[in-house]
Amino acid sequence: MKPPSTREVLLAALKSARGRWMPGDVLCAERGISRAAVSKHIKRLRREGYAIESFAGKGHRLVKAPDTVRPEEIRQDLGTRVFGQGDIVYFTETDSTNSQARQRAEAGAAEGTLVVAECQTAGRGRRGRAWVSPEGAGIYLSLIARPRISPAEAPRLTLLTAVAAADAVIAETGVPVRIKWPNDLLVDGRKLAGILTEIRTEMDLVDYVVIGIGINANTPETSLSAIRDQKCTSLWIETGNRIDRASLLRRFLSEFEACYETFLTEGFASILTRWKAHSAIIGEAVAVDVAGTTHRGRVKDVEDSGVLLLEDEQGKTRRIFSGDLVIEH
Ligand code: BTN
C-alpha cells in the first residue's frame, strides 16, 4: 500500500469531520501537517472545485466535494487489499484507459494497478466499437490483473467482472440491472455498462489481463441518444439523481476483488451461480451474431468456461464462444 500524500491526509481529515469545523491546530498536531501545507493545499483544493470554508478561531470545513474520480476520492475508505491500493493512474482526459493500462502492463505494472479517466477521446468497446465517454459523466476504468491461470480460463474474468459490477450498481443505487451474455449490464434492455477484457499470454499461462469497464453513471440522454446500434441508459436517467461516481467505483473495486479472490482460491462455481442469477438470458429466445452469421435458438445454459449453449428448433445444441446476442421477444 502506498503511504497517503499530505493532500490525501488533509482531505481525509476534512471528510471525516462530515461538514463540521476542523480546527487548524488539530490538523497540525494530530495529522502532522504544517500550517503552511494546510493553507497551500486548501487553496489548491478550492481551485479544483472543493468548497472549503475557513474561519479564524474555528478552522476549516468541507462543505461540498466535486464529483471526480481522482485518486484521493477513490482511496477514501477503500476496503480492498490490492486493487486500487497501489498505483492509481489518473487522467482528466486520455485516449482509452485500456490502451493506457496495456502500455503499463507491458512495462511490468503490478497487479492491482488502476487506470481511470474523467474522459476518453478514443474509448473502445468490443468488436471495434467506440465507447462514448463524455467528461465527468461516466466511470471509465481499467484494472491490471496477473492471475496464474491458463488462457482458457480467462473468459471467466469477464463474467466475474460483470457479477461484481452488477452487485456494485444494485448495492449503490438499487437499479435492477441484469447481465446479458457475455458482459453487458442492461436495465430493461437498455445498456448501462460494458466490459472489455484484453489479455496477453506467455506459453500456456496468462501474463496479464487488462479489464476495462465503462459505466454510464451521470451520462446525459443527449450523449447516449447519439449511439445508433444500441439503446443505452445511465444511472442518472434511471434514478433521476446524479450519483457519486467515486463511491460506486470503490464499491465496484471491493466487489471485484472479492470475486477475484473467490475465483482464485475456491474456483468459479459460486461466481457462475451468481452470474446466472443476474443473467437475463437463460431460457430466452435469442439471436447471436457470430462473425456475420446469425444463430437463432433458446439459451440452454452457460458453461463453466463462459461458453453459451444455444438450442435450435431441431433440438440441436451449439456451443458459442463469442458473439453479439439479441433477446428476441
Ligand atoms: C463493450 O460493451 O463493448 C465494452 C465497453 C468497454 C468500455 C470501457 S471504458 C474504460 C475502458 N477503456 C476503454 O477504452 N474501454 C473500456
Side-chain angles (χ1 to χ4, degrees), residues 141 143 160-162 164-166 168 211 213 215 247-257:
L141 74 84
L143 290 170
L160 172 165
T161 306
I211 300 154
I213 174 158
I215 305 176
S247 172
L248 176 57
L249 200 158
R250 278 195 299 273
R251 178 83 72 150
F252 167 72
L253 291 178
S254 298
E255 296 285 350
F256 174 83
E257 186 168 287

Side-chain angles (χ1 to χ4, degrees), residues 96-98 120 122-126 131 140-142 184 191 194-196 212-214:
S96 147
T97 57
N98 260 44
Q120 296 183 118
R124 296 186 283 114
R126 288 170 65 231
W131 186 259
Y140 321 114
L141 74 84
S142 302
D184 287 351
K191 185 155 169 171
I195 298 159
L196 178 67
I213 174 158

